[in-house]
Amino acid sequence: MKKPVLWGAAFALLLAGVAPLAGKTVPEPKLGDVSPMMRLITSEQYVNTLQSIFGAGLEYRVQFAPIQRVDGLLAVGATSTVMTSGAFDQFDSAARSIAAQVVDARRRDFLLPCKPAKQNAADDTCAGAFLGGTGRLLFRRSLTSDELGAYVHIAHDSAEAAHDFYTGLSNALTSLLVAPEFLYATQPITKAGNELKLTSYAKATRASLLLWNAYPDEDLLAAAESGALNTSADLARQVDRMLNSPKLEQGVRNFFDDMLVFEDFDTLSKDGTFYPAFTTKVRVDAKEQTLRTIIDHVVSQNRDYRDLFTTRKTFLTLDLGSIYGVPVRTDTAWTPYEFPPDSPRAGILTHASFLALHSHPARSSATRRGKALRELFLCQKVPPPPPNVNFGALEDPKSPFHTTRERVNFHLQNPVCAGCHRIMDPIGLALENFDGAGQYRTTEQGAAIDASGTLDGASFKDVAGLSKALHDHPQLPRCLVRRMTSYALGRTLNKDDDGWLQYADGQFSTSGYRVKDLLRTIATSPSFYAASVKADQ
Amino acid sequence: MTKSKFTRRRVLRGMFNGCATTVALPLLDCFLDNKGTAFASGEPLPARFGTWFWGLGMDQQIFVPKKVGADYDLPEQIASLRDVRKHVNVYTGFDVLTDGRPNLCHYTGWVAVRTGEAPLGNGRYPGASLDVLVSDVVGTNSRYRSLQVAATGNPRSSQSFRSSEAVNPADVSAVELYQRIFGPEFQDPNSPVFKPDPRIMTRKSALSTVMEQSADLRKTLGKADQSRLDEYFTSVRALEDRLSLQLQKPPPAEACVLPSKIEKDLPLGLAAEMVANRHNLLTDILVMALACNQTRVFSMMYSDAQALTTKPGNPRPHHPATHEDLRDPVLGYQLDSAWLITRAMESWAYFVGALAKVKEGDGTLLDHSLVLAHSDCQLAQVHSLQAVPLMTAGSAGGRLKTGLHVTGQGTPATRVSLTALQAMGVKVDAWGANSMRTSRAVGEVTI
């Protein structure tokens, strides 16, 4: 009789992430596929990495060929994308522009470690010092003597041809910047006893890409080189250093940018006749507002992830003020702001970014918003619409539709549509108090807006109720765990990962849903650095 | 022409005996054959191939000409083709067949026309797009193997790919497209002076060194990543080839006129007028890139398959309008959607006209080109894949008849694709998969 009770308790503990057997540590479950991945550097990683080497003073005009989004993430597409000739051209021209700036007469003295003996001739010693140091940061390991020799040779030859040391150096730096060792983060493997694992350098790169969205810095490389990433205590120390670094912000920012499909902002446009307030500046600021709110909430304040959907705290600019109907002081670009308790705005669902991005250019879209909420925050997949729909009801000129609710209710009259629209539209309708630009309204074409609805069994009357229902949805934190794990690994998850994911769910819950702790769970997990060899290798 | 004091031999001898790098070399008639359609060596003037895409189909009531064959009538939606009709073939009644695969809305149709096969899922391509197959044959001898251009403002608008993972990126900025083609590295084919830039030699040898150095990297990778690394090397070699070309004097191109510099891009936005302006600006640069032999293969996207072009006054952009606007009870089609398709056809007419304006040899740039234009479906409201509209413009250097309306009677749309591939010299007897596989080119237009 006691057995089920015990098992129940053990199960509850397991869910909470606590080892069920007192005194014994249950080994952390393993992730499924841990074969190495070759990841193409993204525009953001490129800029982050080069900025930390050459400083923010250079002009990094970098926009590489778009990467295909795979299973909700660009980070997953980056491990399968193929370099086309057009894509390589963009890397080549970025490399040449940056190399020219580094050796520019105004910058060379503080960006280069030495001066050549003669400016109009090659100087292999000085070239070697610069290329060896920079190459190590770009390739995330020391260059072999063969490699260094080859890049010094490039510098030598072109310096002689151009009678200019700096032209030579610029060519050699360009070459480093287009080399596959830089453009691709590969994951070399080493054998420890009978076990395969990533080399320390590969470990450093993995951790750094996850936490900083950049290649490792000198400290991390030095740790990799000295073997200081081999024990779990040493690794944990480095991970903590990275979690406490200001660079964590750019890492977390990139993760949410990817998860929220914010690259769509690049092409978002609104019809100026309907939404004159939604200017280019508002478009840029709306995205930044949400990213700032997220960073402040999960990084600076280290608060519960779920509260992002109910928090009234945010940041505004003068331009955003016109969308929110809020006076914003003009003396600073970004001002912290807290919506008052009687405001309909609370949580990132009510930000102009979410509302405008998932709308049409000249009106809102309950369907798009509902679909986005399910796919982005709950990791649910909404099937594509059927190709052949009977629009008979819409064709009836006697039934004019005033509100979006009236229009989308049409979906529910058709059984082919209803299946999917029933899970999207009621959520989106709760956001109908905000128009296609994210501005608050109480009526649509003269008819009062009804913002009530349900989310997987939880009923609500208005958007605050929807936000609360999402906040309390058990799938919300689980979705973040899955998205972040997939982002970290650069691959689609599968059922072999379930054990590890449930373990991570437990850890996340125990931490009170702190994103930094979730990052630590992944970045210190032995599974994250495990390696296997595929049959074809 | 035989009376000319200049002979090819004399000029060539001059080149070898004198300073080859500074010889003047205009495209004199003596370099052309008597018809002006080929170089006297027998090598034909370069044929160009391109695609032109518009989303959301057509309205058959005002699109499909009543008359089949030559001198077809121009219903309202394609009335803008008036001045270029003699160059344009209209193909109606050609179907996309899915063999039980899902009809993925605004995706299956255009993917099948371009790859010969209905895709299995969104974001997946069953094979390479046909422009890539053509560029493998005719694209290797020009500076760029192909150019992809989109008037949508979205760099993700590209329908040119070797595989799902290898999509050729699109240029959407006129400033950047201009810079890439006519920027500092452009070599005017008609310049009397040619001086190879020694820096190009240095760049080329640096690239070789990079490739040699990274050969070992391959050994550490699994099969899939090895082939990705091989693709990387292929792309580096493509740049090397381009640099090699720049070390040689480019062949003359009589029609090449350096366009005036583009200083500023047009504002973002999808109002029909803004899209047309952007399209026309990009078209003008692209046409000169072709005339100046910078590329021989291109893809132009007027709109995405789920086009979001807007008509002033309608809050619904094109795609939602096709699903939500009422059909006019008398005319039987959606007025605003029809209006937007008519605007797309005006841009298509502009595109054809821009190629036809450029004189080349005894004809025009259009005569030495073939452009395949098509959409993703017939009636967007129901995503129908029967009678997906297709057109071609140009004769591919006299290899196809033009100015005809052809009806497909429900045969696969791949027949038009196959006709284009064969006209462009791709050695293929049959093309496509399953019910879309065909060995029957469109006999009405082949010569």
Side-chain angles (χ1 to χ4, degrees):
Chain A
M1 286 301 282
K2 277 187 174 176
K3 234 178 183 176
V5 179
L6 272 176
W7 275 113
F11 183 62
L13 284 167
L14 193 67
L15 274 182
V18 177
L21 302 169
K24 264 192 177 178
T25 323
V26 173
E28 182 189 309
K30 289 184 175 168
L31 281 163
D33 182 5
V34 289
S35 54
M37 296 268 187
M38 185 169 91
R39 191 188 298 230
L40 179 66
I41 197 166
T42 64
S43 305
E44 294 76 22
Q45 288 160 2
Y46 190 94
V47 173
N48 290 342
T49 301
L50 295 189
Q51 269 189 349
S52 71
I53 302 176
F54 301 122
L58 271 63
E59 194 187 343
Y60 299 96
R61 281 195 55 201
V62 164
Q63 199 179 26
F64 299 132
I67 290 174
Q68 300 268 93
R69 184 169 280 281
V70 176
D71 272 313
L73 290 169
L74 299 172
V76 177
T79 58
S80 60
T81 190
V82 163
M83 177 87 75
T84 60
S85 160
F88 184 72
D89 284 353
Q90 296 169 342
F91 283 110
D92 178 64
S93 90
R96 286 192 290 137
S97 149
I98 286 159
Q101 294 180 63
V102 169
V103 303
D104 182 278
R106 287 171 301 153
R107 295 196 182 88
R108 56 178 65 143
D109 288 347
F110 58 93
L111 287 181
L112 306 181
C114 49
K115 284 186 181 178
K118 277 189 283 178
Q119 195 175 318
N120 61 359
D123 181 334
D124 293 356
T125 313
C126 182
F130 172 69
L131 297 169
T134 307
R136 177 180 141 89
L137 292 167
L138 298 176
F139 288 14
R140 306 162 313 283
R141 58 168 173 79
S142 296
L143 269 56
T144 64
S145 57
D146 265 11
E147 284 171 332
L148 184 57
Y151 287 100
V152 169
H153 189 74
I154 293 174
H156 184 100
D157 276 3
S158 49
E160 295 291 302
H163 305 294
D164 180 41
F165 169 78
Y166 292 106
T167 304
L169 203 61
S170 166
N171 271 326
L173 176 56
T174 302
S175 305
L176 283 171
L177 290 172
V178 298
E181 291 89 342
F182 170 58
L183 296 181
Y184 290 102
T186 57
Q187 294 169 356
I189 293 178
T190 178
K191 209 166 182 185
N194 281 333
E195 212 181 333
L196 291 173
K197 56 178 195 176
L198 297 182
T199 64
S200 313
Y201 293 108
K203 278 169 123 175
T205 301
R206 269 211 150 181
S208 181
L209 284 176
L210 169 63
L211 300 174
W212 290 350
N213 198 39
Y215 285 167
D217 65 355
E218 182 49 47
D219 277 10
L220 191 56
L221 279 181
E225 205 154 55
S226 68
L229 295 179
N230 291 341
T231 70
S232 50
D234 283 340
L235 180 68
R237 209 171 6 258
Q238 275 295 333
V239 167
D240 272 332
R241 177 181 76 87
M242 297 175 78
L243 284 169
N244 291 320
S245 155
K247 287 189 192 174
L248 180 67
E249 222 180 279
Q250 72 194 21
V252 174
R253 179 178 267 265
N254 189 71
F255 167 73
F256 281 100
D257 196 290
D258 192 348
M259 169 176 150
L260 297 173
V261 200
F262 269 1
E263 78 270 16
D264 284 354
F265 266 104
D266 298 344
T267 51
L268 179 71
S269 66
K270 293 288 166 189
D271 189 326
T273 51
F274 289 87
Y275 302 129
F278 200 92
T279 58
T280 305
K281 178 79 168 31
V282 166
R283 172 171 67 93
V284 173
D285 287 358
K287 167 180 160 175
E288 179 62 22
Q289 179 206 351
T290 299
L291 289 173
R292 264 178 196 252
T293 307
I294 292 173
I295 294 297
D296 182 63
H297 187 87
V298 307
V299 177
S300 312
Q301 313 290 332
N302 198 21
R303 290 187 199 278
D304 187 326
Y305 164 68
R306 300 169 307 163
D307 294 347
L308 260 185
F309 298 89
T310 52
T311 181
R312 293 182 176 277
K313 289 188 175 150
T314 187
F315 299 85
L316 293 180
T317 59
L318 179 69
D319 298 76
L320 280 176
S322 64
I323 291 286
Y324 289 103
V326 165
V328 175
R329 289 171 48 178
T330 57
D331 52 351
T332 50
W334 283 96
T335 312
Y337 184 80
E338 186 161 357
F339 288 108
D342 61 347
S343 161
R345 308 269 183 182
I348 58 173
L349 289 183
T350 65
H351 282 198
S353 63
F354 183 81
L355 296 164
L357 199 56
H358 306 290
S359 288
H360 296 297
R363 68 181 170 91
S364 65
S365 170
T367 303
R368 282 187 180 198
R369 288 171 179 174
K371 181 169 185 280
L373 186 148
R374 290 224 178 253
E375 294 191 336
L376 302 183
F377 300 120
L378 300 176
C379 297
Q380 296 167 338
K381 273 189 185 162
V382 178
N388 195 352
V389 177
N390 180 359
F391 287 86
L394 276 183
E395 300 292 343
D396 180 0
K398 285 182 200 134
S399 58
F401 301 106
H402 286 295
T403 64
T404 302
R405 183 176 288 270
E406 287 167 348
R407 255 196 320 273
V408 298
N409 274 342
F410 160 67
H411 292 136
L412 307 182
Q413 294 168 17
N414 184 333
V416 184
C417 306
C420 294
H421 280 277
R422 195 164 281 139
I423 64 165
M424 296 184 286
D425 299 350
I427 307 172
L429 287 169
L431 295 164
E432 271 303 302
N433 279 130
F434 305 99
D435 68 15
Q439 301 168 112
Y440 185 68
R441 61 182 177 181
T442 53
T443 59
E444 188 183 3
Q445 294 189 45
I449 289 169
D450 167 9
S452 65
T454 60
L455 173 63
D456 299 337
S459 300
F460 45 82
K461 286 195 310 244
D462 53 18
V463 63
L466 169 67
S467 291
K468 179 74 171 57
L470 182 59
H471 175 283
D472 296 341
H473 201 299
Q475 188 59 25
L476 181 78
R478 289 162 49 91
C479 176
L480 189 78
V481 167
R482 274 142 197 80
R483 209 61 105 196
M484 195 171 275
T485 306
S486 176
Y487 174 87
L489 295 170
R491 68 165 169 85
T492 304
L493 301 176
N494 57 53
K495 64 174 175 16
D496 295 338
D497 300 316
D498 285 351
W500 192 90
L501 291 168
Q502 279 157 20
Y503 154 79
D505 287 338
Q507 298 288 102
F508 192 35
S509 152
T510 306
S511 78
Y513 304 106
R514 299 306 195 268
V515 170
K516 279 168 83 167
D517 288 311
L518 176 57
L519 283 166
R520 184 184 288 106
T521 299
I522 299 172
T524 56
S525 164
S527 248
F528 187 52
Y529 305 101
S532 68
V533 174
K534 274 196 179 142
D536 68 6
Q537 242 178 311
Chain B
M1 224 160 287
T2 45
K3 286 176 194 162
S4 165
K5 275 192 285 181
F6 279 105
T7 64
R8 288 192 306 284
R9 187 178 294 271
R10 178 174 296 183
V11 175
L12 289 172
R13 195 191 299 134
M15 278 177 74
F16 290 121
N17 292 345
C19 179
T21 56
T22 53
V23 73
L25 202 66
L27 181 67
L28 302 174
D29 280 349
C30 63
F31 286 101
L32 297 172
D33 68 357
N34 291 333
K35 285 191 218 148
T37 52
F39 285 109
S41 62
E43 195 191 326
L45 282 171
R48 287 76 159 201
F49 177 76
T51 62
W52 196 94
F53 180 84
W54 82 97
L56 302 173
M58 51 98 163
D59 300 282
Q60 45 102 9
Q61 300 94 325
I62 50 170
F63 184 98
V64 180
K66 300 227 167 12
K67 183 163 188 274
V68 174
D71 297 321
Y72 55 86
D73 50 308
L74 293 171
E76 186 183 330
Q77 206 154 47
I78 58 169
S80 53
L81 295 175
R82 198 175 313 108
D83 296 336
V84 291
R85 179 180 57 176
K86 63 174 188 272
H87 305 297
V88 174
N89 293 335
V90 178
Y91 305 84
T92 59
F94 288 86
D95 293 356
V96 165
L97 309 156
T98 62
D99 298 294
R101 290 182 186 173
N103 174 3
L104 304 160
C105 302
H106 309 293
Y107 189 70
T108 294
W110 70 260
V111 173
V113 168
R114 288 189 181 223
T115 64
E117 185 175 349
L120 286 165
N122 274 311
R124 306 301 306 165
Y125 300 128
S129 57
L130 82 173
D131 58 300
V132 166
L133 305 181
V134 174
S135 80
D136 285 345
V137 176
V138 307
T140 49
N141 241 346
S142 56
R143 189 166 158 218
Y144 293 99
R145 278 185 77 122
S146 66
L147 290 175
Q148 296 69 232
V149 182
T152 58
N154 185 353
R156 291 185 176 269
S157 299
S158 173
Q159 297 173 321
S160 172
F161 45 85
R162 199 171 285 282
S163 67
S164 305
E165 293 78 25
V167 180
N168 295 316
D171 275 299
V172 295
S173 151
V175 171
E176 281 168 30
L177 180 66
Y178 181 92
Q179 206 52 28
R180 207 144 84 80
I181 311 287
F182 298 108
E185 286 171 42
F186 173 71
Q187 290 173 324
D188 187 343
N190 301 325
S191 163
V193 180
F194 174 72
K195 231 179 138 187
D197 184 343
R199 288 173 300 183
I200 290 176
M201 190 77 94
T202 325
R203 271 178 72 195
K204 204 168 157 270
S205 104
L207 284 176
S208 308
T209 307
V210 169
M211 293 215 284
E212 275 164 37
Q213 275 309 312
S214 35
D216 282 351
L217 185 61
R218 204 172 180 282
K219 294 179 202 147
T220 67
L221 303 174
K223 273 238 170 68
D225 288 341
Q226 278 184 357
S227 71
R228 287 172 67 211
L229 187 66
D230 292 344
E231 292 280 357
Y232 160 89
F233 285 132
T234 304
S235 297
V236 179
R237 273 192 292 272
L239 177 57
E240 279 191 311
D241 291 346
R242 189 183 327 147
L243 296 173
S244 300
L245 274 180
Q246 287 187 276
L247 290 169
Q248 300 161 22
K249 170 146 182 52
E254 58 163 339
C256 175
V257 182
L258 194 69
S260 45
K261 190 171 178 203
I262 311 283
E263 303 281 358
K264 203 167 179 287
D265 271 309
L266 296 170
L268 212 65
L270 292 174
E273 194 185 348
M274 298 170 96
V275 175
N277 290 340
R278 212 178 294 130
H279 168 270
N280 297 355
L281 186 63
L282 290 165
T283 295
D284 293 347
I285 304 170
L286 179 60
V287 165
M288 262 315 132
L290 294 165
C292 299
N293 286 328
Q294 303 298 297
T295 190
R296 289 181 191 161
V297 179
F298 64 87
S299 311
M300 165 62 92
M301 280 184 84
Y302 167 82
S303 58
D304 285 317
Q306 296 197 12
L308 294 176
T309 320
T310 57
K311 178 180 188 248
N314 189 337
R316 290 173 291 282
H318 198 173
H319 176 233
T322 63
H323 292 308
E324 295 176 24
D325 282 5
L326 303 181
R327 270 187 284 199
D328 184 276
V330 177
L331 298 170
Y333 51 84
Q334 296 158 316
L335 298 182
D336 286 354
S337 171
W339 184 90
L340 285 160
I341 296 292
T342 309
R343 300 289 84 75
M345 290 300 99
E346 284 169 4
S347 283
W348 166 233
Y350 179 91
F351 192 87
V352 177
L355 288 167
K357 266 199 312 219
V358 178
K359 300 271 173 273
E360 193 182 66
D362 66 347
T364 67
L365 182 56
L366 181 63
D367 295 331
H368 306 129
S369 303
L370 179 64
V371 191
L372 170 66
H374 67 96
S375 191
D376 61 295
C377 60
Q378 184 216 143
L379 182 61
Q381 190 182 37
V382 295
H383 311 102
S384 53
L385 296 179
Q386 286 87 40
V388 172
L390 300 111
M391 298 193 204
T392 56
S395 68
R399 294 191 191 95
L400 294 180
K401 295 176 201 159
T402 60
L404 300 170
H405 170 212
V406 185
T407 57
Q409 322 277 354
T411 54
T414 34
R415 291 183 60 211
V416 182
S417 317
L418 176 73
T419 307
L421 288 169
Q422 290 179 336
M424 290 311 299
V426 179
K427 300 244 177 306
V428 56
D429 296 325
W431 194 67
N434 307 319
S435 303
M436 292 286 280
R437 188 164 180 82
T438 181
S439 54
R440 258 181 82 201
V442 181
E444 290 91 330
V445 305
T446 53
I447 290 174

